[in-house]
Amino acid sequence: MGELKTLEEHRCFGGVQGFYEHASAEIGLPMRFGVFAPPQAGPRPVLLCLAGLTCNEQTFAIKAGAQQHAAQHGLILVTPDTSPRGTGVAEADAHWDFGHGAGFYLDATREPYAKHWRMESWLMQELPAVLAQHFPVHADRVGITGHSMGGHGALSLALRHPGRFRSVSAFAPICAPTEVPWGHKAFAGYLGEDRSHWAQHDAVKLIESGARAPQLLVDQGLDDQFLAQQLAPERLQAACTAAGQPLTLRRHAGYDHGYFFIQSFVGEHVAHHAAALNG
């Protein structure tokens, strides 16, 4: 799978937090990701942590405070970047919620994005092989979590790839992207105007169409500035109830959209994943 470039490594809760880069064949450009390897020896389960808009491979690793919990439970944390970088696409830097830093964890089909914005293929096909080659991962024990755009990614990827993830959770996810402005902008830009293609990346639409995932754990702050216009957890709850998809949706008064909210509950999310991955 090619050479892995180590960008930096740091001792952390008895393990090692590192950041790495490899030449991605899927993306056609170098891609970066973080790995926290816990102190326990031998192959360990993996928790894939997807960050939100404007973020990169360091954001969740630095801000979430998840390493101490991963060390306790013996989980490897993987924090991928949120989009390709250095694409040369001029308009990719025109908006903070589209383009660079805003890959939405799908494979674009519309030009000029189709060549490099292949985040789903990178995450689901190429990155697992890179991890298996260079890190002591338990490749068949993988969970997925994410925040905001990354929460959308966690839900939609788990539903689109049944059997790949033993556990799923999200913080303040974009639950119904076909129905909110962030999703309209991203899906039109990456996929074109055919909304049947949009539905294939919308957690609510996927559940309504029969897709299923393991028990979903979703936390949502009630003082989240994006809750009313962008996130639509009530749509996810209604779809799961109607379809019989297991969901625990927890609403928290006083919490906003940021990483202080994530820090407050990330230990419970890691424990949720550990129960499934270490069992």
Side-chain angles (χ1 to χ4, degrees):
M1 300 301 298
E3 181 181 353
L4 186 71
K5 181 179 180 181
T6 300
L7 302 175
E8 54 184 288
E9 290 184 331
H10 309 277
R11 196 71 172 163
C12 183
F13 289 100
V16 176
Q17 174 65 60
F19 298 99
Y20 309 93
E21 180 180 276
H22 78 111
S24 169
E26 287 289 349
I27 302 291
L29 292 165
M31 287 297 292
R32 294 185 173 187
F33 60 93
V35 172
F36 171 71
Q40 292 86 345
R44 303 307 308 168
V46 176
L47 179 55
L48 187 64
C49 308
L50 306 182
L53 293 165
T54 74
C55 296
N56 60 31
E57 74 283 354
Q58 293 197 0
T59 310
F60 192 94
I62 292 174
K63 291 185 175 183
Q67 290 93 338
Q68 59 184 313
H69 307 291
Q72 176 186 347
H73 293 287
L75 301 186
I76 290 176
L77 302 179
V78 178
T79 57
D81 201 353
T82 52
S83 80
R85 306 285 176 172
T87 62
V89 176
E91 60 262 42
D93 289 320
H95 304 278
W96 68 272
D97 53 359
F98 180 81
H100 295 148
F104 270 81
Y105 304 104
L106 52 76
D107 287 353
T109 56
R110 178 176 172 268
E111 298 299 339
Y113 302 99
K115 180 178 180 181
H116 296 304
W117 272 259
R118 295 184 52 78
M119 292 297 292
E120 182 173 8
S121 290
W122 178 58
L123 288 171
M124 299 305 300
Q125 299 175 31
E126 189 173 18
L127 185 58
V130 172
L131 294 171
Q133 180 180 359
H134 295 284
F135 300 93
V137 299
H138 212 315
D140 64 346
R141 296 191 178 196
V142 182
I144 189 168
T145 188
H147 170 231
S148 193
M149 177 186 72
H152 142 75
L155 297 176
S156 63
L157 290 176
L159 290 161
R160 283 172 55 79
H161 300 272
R164 287 291 298 273
F165 301 104
R166 292 195 181 190
S167 55
V168 187
S169 75
F171 296 92
I174 307 171
C175 296
T178 62
E179 303 176 28
V180 301
W182 276 342
H184 292 172
K185 186 173 188 174
F187 288 176
Y190 294 136
L191 303 174
E193 296 297 336
D194 185 343
R195 294 201 173 206
S196 67
H197 295 161
W198 297 13
Q200 298 171 26
H201 300 277
D202 180 305
V204 168
K205 299 293 186 186
L206 287 165
I207 291 167
E208 290 174 344
S209 70
R212 296 292 180 268
Q215 171 83 37
L216 307 178
L217 171 62
V218 175
D219 278 319
Q220 176 61 62
L222 293 181
D223 280 12
D224 188 319
Q225 62 269 42
F226 301 112
L227 175 57
Q229 188 177 22
Q230 303 284 12
L231 304 181
E234 70 284 352
R235 291 285 293 113
L236 178 67
Q237 186 172 43
C240 288
T241 299
Q245 164 63 49
L247 166 70
T248 299
L249 174 59
R250 309 189 304 185
R251 296 174 169 90
H252 304 278
Y255 287 91
D256 61 24
H257 195 70
Y259 270 85
F260 294 114
F261 161 59
I262 296 174
Q263 290 172 21
S264 301
F265 302 103
V266 72
E268 296 170 39
H269 279 242
V270 173
H272 164 79
H273 291 277
L277 299 175
N278 286 329

